[in-house]
Amino acid sequence: SKPRHWTSPGIKMRTILCKGNRKMYIDPIRTAAYYQALTSEDLCSCNYCQNFRRHIRTCYPGISLWLHSFGIEADKAMETSPLERDEQGYIEYCGCQYVAFGFCESDFQHQIGNVVFRKAYSHPHTGITEPHFVLECFPIWLPADEDLL
């Protein structure tokens, strides 16, 4: 169940219920403020992450809208885990991770199409002291731009 510190008045949490009654609670206002404050200097500048940012919204519009409903900007993943480019010119990102302010039960899992969302346990340190978690999704297949050939 939701920890008591999330019952504070004035905090409007969005709750997602998945199979097995596992829940994720996200404060979309605080989460959106976090993403709005991120600048290009805060984001990874490697070619794979730039490729991810260029394509995620157009290749996965439904997922981008779902993440946006929680205040998460799909093109500002805190971490991506790309594999090598395949013969068709696509890259599989086997993990894309996002910061969310709130609480997520340990075995929460949600699926949109072939993409699975769950609470991440292996991720870079966020440096955030407020209650938060890292949401990861996989697999994401995106076209590889010329700089990755």
Side-chain angles (χ1 to χ4, degrees):
S1 68
K2 185 165 60 168
R4 287 198 172 155
H5 65 274
W6 282 110
T7 58
S8 305
I11 295 179
K12 178 97 169 144
M13 301 297 281
R14 269 212 67 223
T15 303
I16 293 297
L17 182 66
C18 71
K19 292 178 185 175
N21 292 326
R22 296 296 173 218
K23 296 176 185 166
M24 173 177 75
Y25 305 90
I26 295 182
D27 177 348
I29 294 170
R30 176 62 187 101
T31 301
Y34 170 81
Y35 283 94
Q36 288 170 358
L38 289 176
T39 66
S40 59
E41 290 80 31
D42 298 319
L43 303 172
C44 179
S45 62
C46 80
N47 289 343
Y48 288 103
C49 286
Q50 289 181 40
N51 187 77
F52 179 85
R53 286 194 294 278
R54 279 192 294 270
H55 295 290
I56 188 65
R57 288 181 189 251
T58 55
C59 293
Y60 289 88
I63 286 172
S64 297
L65 287 171
W66 186 78
L67 289 169
H68 183 73
S69 74
F70 299 106
I72 297 171
E73 294 184 28
D75 57 348
K76 293 184 179 179
M78 72 170 283
E79 183 76 12
T80 65
S81 298
L83 300 176
E84 291 300 315
R85 181 180 161 269
D86 70 9
E87 304 80 38
Q88 289 80 34
Y90 280 79
I91 296 173
E92 177 186 358
Y93 290 83
C94 60
C96 306
Q97 298 180 334
Y98 297 94
V99 170
F101 289 82
F103 171 77
C104 187
E105 293 184 352
S106 61
D107 50 358
F108 172 85
Q109 187 169 308
H110 182 70
Q111 191 163 341
I112 299 174
N114 294 330
V115 179
V116 174
F117 292 84
R118 67 181 182 194
K119 182 178 181 178
Y121 287 98
S122 178
H123 56 79
H125 180 66
T126 64
I128 300 169
T129 57
E130 297 172 60
H132 71 288
F133 64 96
V134 175
L135 180 67
E136 71 180 350
C137 63
F138 60 91
I140 298 289
W141 288 88
L142 298 174
D145 288 343
E146 301 247 343
D147 54 355
L148 296 173
L149 302 177

